[in-house]
Amino acid sequence: MHLSVIGCGYLGAVHAAAMASIGHEVVGVDVDAGKIAALGTGRAPFFEPGLDELLATGLATGRLRFTTDVAEAADADIHFLAVGTPQAAGGHAADLRFVDAAIDALLPHLRPGRLVAGKSTVPVGTADRIAERLFPTGAVLAWNPEFLREGWAVHDTITPDRIVVGVPDGARGERAADLLRAAYAPAIEADTPFLVTDLATAELVKGAANAFLATKVSFINAMAEIAEATGADVTLLADALGHDTRIGRRYLGSGIGFGGGCLPKDIRAFAARAEELGRGESVGFLREVDAINLRRRERAVQLTVDALGGRAHGKRIAVLGAAFKPFSDDIRDSPALEVAVRLRGLGADVVVTDPAALDNARAVHPQLEYVHGRDDALRGADAVVLVTEWDLYRREMDPQSAGALVAQRIIVDGRNCLDADAWRSAGWRYHGMGRR
Ligand code: UDX
């Protein structure tokens, strides 16, 4: 099939390359000429494992190309809409200006029978509004939310755990679903569930999924707060809860909480939209989910200050991690960086290291000191704060050799990912979050 992908960020670039890899002719469109130039030479403009290889193959076969000119998308059977929907400045709602701009640009090129499939995360009701705008062109709108995780984006796009497709009623909707079935044929042949819904349900699935995931993380972090008041250990608690198959251990990782370009802004936009619909109280708990999450960042700072005897001023602190999670260079709403910035704000001499996110971090927080090598960060540190659980820190950091580099053997494990006993046996004062 001929496909276009409008918006080539974390979502769109991967989608374009993945669709080319399963045999479609794909053109990726973005207004950012720098991004398009990089993608056109097979370089992902961000860190995503496996994407460079996928781009290279797609470009070499000639099935994948990138452009800033939306007119080149005119031949596509399906136009996937993958632009960003950031949090609006000064509020909690989603800023839909990129969605609207993409539709403005696409409208003159749409033809009867063509399909626009929205993948961006939008407030419920957006699809109806866009469908009205498309109506005079004879093109149809479907909503096809994307559930990929950064760091696993290639895997999640090629082998998703489900495909959700919201379509309008009637024959136009059936045709839209058929087109998307054809686009995703390999995944469907591999028994991936394919759920056809109305437009509003498809929009809601994405918001609800992210709200549930955020709630799960904040739930275990709320238990960490209780554990701190009682001497219990939240990681053992999570293990015990996780054996209940109705609950499950995944996404019960306690620590400094969730961040990134999706969960924080999506739960806020979800709550803001519910307020507009007069159903604010239905998701009032999301305010608590957000508040618990933000408290954990401050808790990590407090633990560090306490571990340093009540004063961080002038102390050398090695912060291990800047990305919001491992296998990503994304620092949007990164809890890791926020902990670093707050410690710096207390007068600490903070040095940050991260295997992938340093350039992005430096661009936003030039006041922090950055070093590439983990051991360079550890050297002379009065305290070590682990905030992104890269294998380099979690698995490959030996407490004895790390201990030989630091000034004081104090470690705060902001992701509860280290073996506390091993670190204590090596003479470290180990502080987890909600752990004994
Ligand atoms: C998330 C959803 O998983 C994905 O389905 C959606 O499409 C976009 O948002 P992503 O933001 O890439 O994906 O990251 P994810 O792996 O879900 O982690 C989000 C945040 O939660 C990270 O900051 C991570 O460190 C944190 N997290 C995750 C925890 O604190 N504990 C956990 O147990 C899991």
mmCIF file with all atom_site columns, all heavy atoms in Angstrom, residues 27-46:
data_model
loop_
_atom_site.group_PDB
_atom_site.id
_atom_site.type_symbol
_atom_site.label_atom_id
_atom_site.label_alt_id
_atom_site.label_comp_id
_atom_site.label_asym_id
_atom_site.label_entity_id
_atom_site.label_seq_id
_atom_site.pdbx_PDB_ins_code
_atom_site.Cartn_x
_atom_site.Cartn_y
_atom_site.Cartn_z
_atom_site.occupancy
_atom_site.B_iso_or_equiv
_atom_site.pdbx_formal_charge
_atom_site.auth_seq_id
_atom_site.auth_comp_id
_atom_site.auth_asym_id
_atom_site.auth_atom_id
_atom_site.pdbx_PDB_model_num
ATOM 1   N N   . VAL A 1 27 ? 5.895  7.439  2.772  1.00 0.00 ? 27 VAL A N   1
ATOM 2   C CA  . VAL A 1 27 ? 6.547  8.744  2.790  1.00 0.00 ? 27 VAL A CA  1
ATOM 3   C C   . VAL A 1 27 ? 6.280  9.384  4.160  1.00 0.00 ? 27 VAL A C   1
ATOM 4   O O   . VAL A 1 27 ? 5.142  9.469  4.611  1.00 0.00 ? 27 VAL A O   1
ATOM 5   C CB  . VAL A 1 27 ? 6.093  9.650  1.611  1.00 0.00 ? 27 VAL A CB  1
ATOM 6   C CG1 . VAL A 1 27 ? 4.590  9.836  1.571  1.00 0.00 ? 27 VAL A CG1 1
ATOM 7   C CG2 . VAL A 1 27 ? 6.786  11.010 1.686  1.00 0.00 ? 27 VAL A CG2 1
ATOM 8   N N   . GLY A 1 28 ? 7.363  9.783  4.814  1.00 0.00 ? 28 GLY A N   1
ATOM 9   C CA  . GLY A 1 28 ? 7.256  10.459 6.111  1.00 0.00 ? 28 GLY A CA  1
ATOM 10  C C   . GLY A 1 28 ? 7.359  11.958 5.889  1.00 0.00 ? 28 GLY A C   1
ATOM 11  O O   . GLY A 1 28 ? 8.236  12.425 5.159  1.00 0.00 ? 28 GLY A O   1
ATOM 12  N N   . VAL A 1 29 ? 6.466  12.705 6.524  1.00 0.00 ? 29 VAL A N   1
ATOM 13  C CA  . VAL A 1 29 ? 6.430  14.161 6.324  1.00 0.00 ? 29 VAL A CA  1
ATOM 14  C C   . VAL A 1 29 ? 6.594  14.860 7.668  1.00 0.00 ? 29 VAL A C   1
ATOM 15  O O   . VAL A 1 29 ? 5.980  14.457 8.659  1.00 0.00 ? 29 VAL A O   1
ATOM 16  C CB  . VAL A 1 29 ? 5.067  14.590 5.705  1.00 0.00 ? 29 VAL A CB  1
ATOM 17  C CG1 . VAL A 1 29 ? 5.071  16.073 5.379  1.00 0.00 ? 29 VAL A CG1 1
ATOM 18  C CG2 . VAL A 1 29 ? 4.736  13.764 4.466  1.00 0.00 ? 29 VAL A CG2 1
ATOM 19  N N   . ASP A 1 30 ? 7.423  15.899 7.683  1.00 0.00 ? 30 ASP A N   1
ATOM 20  C CA  . ASP A 1 30 ? 7.550  16.695 8.902  1.00 0.00 ? 30 ASP A CA  1
ATOM 21  C C   . ASP A 1 30 ? 7.928  18.114 8.502  1.00 0.00 ? 30 ASP A C   1
ATOM 22  O O   . ASP A 1 30 ? 8.578  18.320 7.473  1.00 0.00 ? 30 ASP A O   1
ATOM 23  C CB  . ASP A 1 30 ? 8.621  16.105 9.831  1.00 0.00 ? 30 ASP A CB  1
ATOM 24  C CG  . ASP A 1 30 ? 8.456  16.564 11.274 1.00 0.00 ? 30 ASP A CG  1
ATOM 25  O OD1 . ASP A 1 30 ? 8.707  17.756 11.560 1.00 0.00 ? 30 ASP A OD1 1
ATOM 26  O OD2 . ASP A 1 30 ? 8.049  15.739 12.115 1.00 0.00 ? 30 ASP A OD2 1
ATOM 27  N N   . VAL A 1 31 ? 7.527  19.092 9.321  1.00 0.00 ? 31 VAL A N   1
ATOM 28  C CA  . VAL A 1 31 ? 7.866  20.485 9.007  1.00 0.00 ? 31 VAL A CA  1
ATOM 29  C C   . VAL A 1 31 ? 9.309  20.817 9.406  1.00 0.00 ? 31 VAL A C   1
ATOM 30  O O   . VAL A 1 31 ? 9.849  21.831 8.993  1.00 0.00 ? 31 VAL A O   1
ATOM 31  C CB  . VAL A 1 31 ? 6.911  21.476 9.730  1.00 0.00 ? 31 VAL A CB  1
ATOM 32  C CG1 . VAL A 1 31 ? 5.505  21.386 9.147  1.00 0.00 ? 31 VAL A CG1 1
ATOM 33  C CG2 . VAL A 1 31 ? 6.882  21.211 11.237 1.00 0.00 ? 31 VAL A CG2 1
ATOM 34  N N   . ASP A 1 32 ? 9.934  19.945 10.206 1.00 0.00 ? 32 ASP A N   1
ATOM 35  C CA  . ASP A 1 32 ? 11.286 20.185 10.704 1.00 0.00 ? 32 ASP A CA  1
ATOM 36  C C   . ASP A 1 32 ? 12.310 19.665 9.670  1.00 0.00 ? 32 ASP A C   1
ATOM 37  O O   . ASP A 1 32 ? 12.551 18.460 9.564  1.00 0.00 ? 32 ASP A O   1
ATOM 38  C CB  . ASP A 1 32 ? 11.439 19.471 12.050 1.00 0.00 ? 32 ASP A CB  1
ATOM 39  C CG  . ASP A 1 32 ? 12.800 19.704 12.695 1.00 0.00 ? 32 ASP A CG  1
ATOM 40  O OD1 . ASP A 1 32 ? 13.765 20.007 11.955 1.00 0.00 ? 32 ASP A OD1 1
ATOM 41  O OD2 . ASP A 1 32 ? 12.898 19.559 13.925 1.00 0.00 ? 32 ASP A OD2 1
ATOM 42  N N   . ALA A 1 33 ? 12.919 20.611 8.933  1.00 0.00 ? 33 ALA A N   1
ATOM 43  C CA  . ALA A 1 33 ? 13.815 20.213 7.841  1.00 0.00 ? 33 ALA A CA  1
ATOM 44  C C   . ALA A 1 33 ? 15.032 19.447 8.366  1.00 0.00 ? 33 ALA A C   1
ATOM 45  O O   . ALA A 1 33 ? 15.522 18.524 7.702  1.00 0.00 ? 33 ALA A O   1
ATOM 46  C CB  . ALA A 1 33 ? 14.266 21.455 7.069  1.00 0.00 ? 33 ALA A CB  1
ATOM 47  N N   . GLY A 1 34 ? 15.512 19.807 9.541  1.00 0.00 ? 34 GLY A N   1
ATOM 48  C CA  . GLY A 1 34 ? 16.682 19.124 10.117 1.00 0.00 ? 34 GLY A CA  1
ATOM 49  C C   . GLY A 1 34 ? 16.369 17.655 10.380 1.00 0.00 ? 34 GLY A C   1
ATOM 50  O O   . GLY A 1 34 ? 17.173 16.751 10.087 1.00 0.00 ? 34 GLY A O   1
ATOM 51  N N   . LYS A 1 35 ? 15.206 17.422 10.941 1.00 0.00 ? 35 LYS A N   1
ATOM 52  C CA  . LYS A 1 35 ? 14.776 16.057 11.255 1.00 0.00 ? 35 LYS A CA  1
ATOM 53  C C   . LYS A 1 35 ? 14.643 15.232 9.975  1.00 0.00 ? 35 LYS A C   1
ATOM 54  O O   . LYS A 1 35 ? 15.099 14.090 9.890  1.00 0.00 ? 35 LYS A O   1
ATOM 55  C CB  . LYS A 1 35 ? 13.417 16.149 11.967 1.00 0.00 ? 35 LYS A CB  1
ATOM 56  C CG  . LYS A 1 35 ? 13.051 14.966 12.796 1.00 0.00 ? 35 LYS A CG  1
ATOM 57  C CD  . LYS A 1 35 ? 11.697 15.165 13.455 1.00 0.00 ? 35 LYS A CD  1
ATOM 58  C CE  . LYS A 1 35 ? 11.772 15.925 14.760 1.00 0.00 ? 35 LYS A CE  1
ATOM 59  N NZ  . LYS A 1 35 ? 10.452 16.092 15.389 1.00 0.00 ? 35 LYS A NZ  1
ATOM 60  N N   . ILE A 1 36 ? 14.034 15.841 8.960  1.00 0.00 ? 36 ILE A N   1
ATOM 61  C CA  . ILE A 1 36 ? 13.827 15.141 7.686  1.00 0.00 ? 36 ILE A CA  1
ATOM 62  C C   . ILE A 1 36 ? 15.169 14.822 7.025  1.00 0.00 ? 36 ILE A C   1
ATOM 63  O O   . ILE A 1 36 ? 15.365 13.725 6.484  1.00 0.00 ? 36 ILE A O   1
ATOM 64  C CB  . ILE A 1 36 ? 12.916 15.994 6.763  1.00 0.00 ? 36 ILE A CB  1
ATOM 65  C CG1 . ILE A 1 36 ? 11.485 15.973 7.291  1.00 0.00 ? 36 ILE A CG1 1
ATOM 66  C CG2 . ILE A 1 36 ? 12.955 15.518 5.308  1.00 0.00 ? 36 ILE A CG2 1
ATOM 67  C CD1 . ILE A 1 36 ? 10.838 14.600 7.376  1.00 0.00 ? 36 ILE A CD1 1
ATOM 68  N N   . ALA A 1 37 ? 16.101 15.772 7.113  1.00 0.00 ? 37 ALA A N   1
ATOM 69  C CA  . ALA A 1 37 ? 17.426 15.542 6.515  1.00 0.00 ? 37 ALA A CA  1
ATOM 70  C C   . ALA A 1 37 ? 18.107 14.360 7.203  1.00 0.00 ? 37 ALA A C   1
ATOM 71  O O   . ALA A 1 37 ? 18.674 13.476 6.544  1.00 0.00 ? 37 ALA A O   1
ATOM 72  C CB  . ALA A 1 37 ? 18.280 16.798 6.636  1.00 0.00 ? 37 ALA A CB  1
ATOM 73  N N   . ALA A 1 38 ? 18.035 14.314 8.536  1.00 0.00 ? 38 ALA A N   1
ATOM 74  C CA  . ALA A 1 38 ? 18.673 13.216 9.276  1.00 0.00 ? 38 ALA A CA  1
ATOM 75  C C   . ALA A 1 38 ? 18.009 11.886 8.915  1.00 0.00 ? 38 ALA A C   1
ATOM 76  O O   . ALA A 1 38 ? 18.691 10.910 8.569  1.00 0.00 ? 38 ALA A O   1
ATOM 77  C CB  . ALA A 1 38 ? 18.575 13.469 10.782 1.00 0.00 ? 38 ALA A CB  1
ATOM 78  N N   . LEU A 1 39 ? 16.692 11.855 8.948  1.00 0.00 ? 39 LEU A N   1
ATOM 79  C CA  . LEU A 1 39 ? 15.974 10.607 8.659  1.00 0.00 ? 39 LEU A CA  1
ATOM 80  C C   . LEU A 1 39 ? 16.267 10.125 7.246  1.00 0.00 ? 39 LEU A C   1
ATOM 81  O O   . LEU A 1 39 ? 16.423 8.923  6.999  1.00 0.00 ? 39 LEU A O   1
ATOM 82  C CB  . LEU A 1 39 ? 14.461 10.809 8.840  1.00 0.00 ? 39 LEU A CB  1
ATOM 83  C CG  . LEU A 1 39 ? 13.980 10.946 10.292 1.00 0.00 ? 39 LEU A CG  1
ATOM 84  C CD1 . LEU A 1 39 ? 12.548 11.481 10.338 1.00 0.00 ? 39 LEU A CD1 1
ATOM 85  C CD2 . LEU A 1 39 ? 14.067 9.601  11.018 1.00 0.00 ? 39 LEU A CD2 1
ATOM 86  N N   . GLY A 1 40 ? 16.393 11.085 6.318  1.00 0.00 ? 40 GLY A N   1
ATOM 87  C CA  . GLY A 1 40 ? 16.638 10.753 4.913  1.00 0.00 ? 40 GLY A CA  1
ATOM 88  C C   . GLY A 1 40 ? 18.006 10.125 4.681  1.00 0.00 ? 40 GLY A C   1
ATOM 89  O O   . GLY A 1 40 ? 18.226 9.462  3.674  1.00 0.00 ? 40 GLY A O   1
ATOM 90  N N   . THR A 1 41 ? 18.911 10.335 5.658  1.00 0.00 ? 41 THR A N   1
ATOM 91  C CA  . THR A 1 41 ? 20.224 9.682  5.517  1.00 0.00 ? 41 THR A CA  1
ATOM 92  C C   . THR A 1 41 ? 20.326 8.483  6.463  1.00 0.00 ? 41 THR A C   1
ATOM 93  O O   . THR A 1 41 ? 21.410 7.974  6.731  1.00 0.00 ? 41 THR A O   1
ATOM 94  C CB  . THR A 1 41 ? 21.376 10.668 5.819  1.00 0.00 ? 41 THR A CB  1
ATOM 95  O OG1 . THR A 1 41 ? 21.162 11.218 7.120  1.00 0.00 ? 41 THR A OG1 1
ATOM 96  C CG2 . THR A 1 41 ? 21.447 11.773 4.798  1.00 0.00 ? 41 THR A CG2 1
ATOM 97  N N   . GLY A 1 42 ? 19.194 8.076  7.024  1.00 0.00 ? 42 GLY A N   1
ATOM 98  C CA  . GLY A 1 42 ? 19.176 6.864  7.842  1.00 0.00 ? 42 GLY A CA  1
ATOM 99  C C   . GLY A 1 42 ? 19.601 7.080  9.283  1.00 0.00 ? 42 GLY A C   1
ATOM 100 O O   . GLY A 1 42 ? 19.917 6.126  9.984  1.00 0.00 ? 42 GLY A O   1
ATOM 101 N N   . ARG A 1 43 ? 19.598 8.329  9.730  1.00 0.00 ? 43 ARG A N   1
ATOM 102 C CA  . ARG A 1 43 ? 19.967 8.600  11.126 1.00 0.00 ? 43 ARG A CA  1
ATOM 103 C C   . ARG A 1 43 ? 18.731 9.030  11.899 1.00 0.00 ? 43 ARG A C   1
ATOM 104 O O   . ARG A 1 43 ? 18.102 10.034 11.557 1.00 0.00 ? 43 ARG A O   1
ATOM 105 C CB  . ARG A 1 43 ? 21.019 9.713  11.209 1.00 0.00 ? 43 ARG A CB  1
ATOM 106 C CG  . ARG A 1 43 ? 22.446 9.218  11.047 1.00 0.00 ? 43 ARG A CG  1
ATOM 107 C CD  . ARG A 1 43 ? 23.441 10.356 11.175 1.00 0.00 ? 43 ARG A CD  1
ATOM 108 N NE  . ARG A 1 43 ? 23.201 11.412 10.202 1.00 0.00 ? 43 ARG A NE  1
ATOM 109 C CZ  . ARG A 1 43 ? 22.823 12.655 10.495 1.00 0.00 ? 43 ARG A CZ  1
ATOM 110 N NH1 . ARG A 1 43 ? 22.636 13.020 11.749 1.00 0.00 ? 43 ARG A NH1 1
ATOM 111 N NH2 . ARG A 1 43 ? 22.636 13.549 9.540  1.00 0.00 ? 43 ARG A NH2 1
ATOM 112 N N   . ALA A 1 44 ? 18.400 8.310  12.954 1.00 0.00 ? 44 ALA A N   1
ATOM 113 C CA  . ALA A 1 44 ? 17.279 8.722  13.793 1.00 0.00 ? 44 ALA A CA  1
ATOM 114 C C   . ALA A 1 44 ? 17.689 9.985  14.539 1.00 0.00 ? 44 ALA A C   1
ATOM 115 O O   . ALA A 1 44 ? 18.792 10.048 15.066 1.00 0.00 ? 44 ALA A O   1
ATOM 116 C CB  . ALA A 1 44 ? 16.933 7.619  14.776 1.00 0.00 ? 44 ALA A CB  1
ATOM 117 N N   . PRO A 1 45 ? 16.821 11.009 14.587 1.00 0.00 ? 45 PRO A N   1
ATOM 118 C CA  . PRO A 1 45 ? 17.185 12.240 15.305 1.00 0.00 ? 45 PRO A CA  1
ATOM 119 C C   . PRO A 1 45 ? 17.069 12.078 16.822 1.00 0.00 ? 45 PRO A C   1
ATOM 120 O O   . PRO A 1 45 ? 17.185 13.037 17.556 1.00 0.00 ? 45 PRO A O   1
ATOM 121 C CB  . PRO A 1 45 ? 16.190 13.278 14.778 1.00 0.00 ? 45 PRO A CB  1
ATOM 122 C CG  . PRO A 1 45 ? 15.125 12.529 14.074 1.00 0.00 ? 45 PRO A CG  1
ATOM 123 C CD  . PRO A 1 45 ? 15.558 11.109 13.865 1.00 0.00 ? 45 PRO A CD  1
ATOM 124 N N   . PHE A 1 46 ? 16.808 10.877 17.290 1.00 0.00 ? 46 PHE A N   1
ATOM 125 C CA  . PHE A 1 46 ? 16.741 10.600 18.735 1.00 0.00 ? 46 PHE A CA  1
ATOM 126 C C   . PHE A 1 46 ? 17.195 9.160  18.929 1.00 0.00 ? 46 PHE A C   1
ATOM 127 O O   . PHE A 1 46 ? 17.315 8.394  17.966 1.00 0.00 ? 46 PHE A O   1
ATOM 128 C CB  . PHE A 1 46 ? 15.316 10.799 19.279 1.00 0.00 ? 46 PHE A CB  1
ATOM 129 C CG  . PHE A 1 46 ? 14.270 10.176 18.408 1.00 0.00 ? 46 PHE A CG  1
ATOM 130 C CD1 . PHE A 1 46 ? 13.958 8.823  18.540 1.00 0.00 ? 46 PHE A CD1 1
ATOM 131 C CD2 . PHE A 1 46 ? 13.616 10.906 17.431 1.00 0.00 ? 46 PHE A CD2 1
ATOM 132 C CE1 . PHE A 1 46 ? 13.023 8.230  17.719 1.00 0.00 ? 46 PHE A CE1 1
ATOM 133 C CE2 . PHE A 1 46 ? 12.668 10.322 16.603 1.00 0.00 ? 46 PHE A CE2 1
ATOM 134 C CZ  . PHE A 1 46 ? 12.377 8.979  16.748 1.00 0.00 ? 46 PHE A CZ  1
#
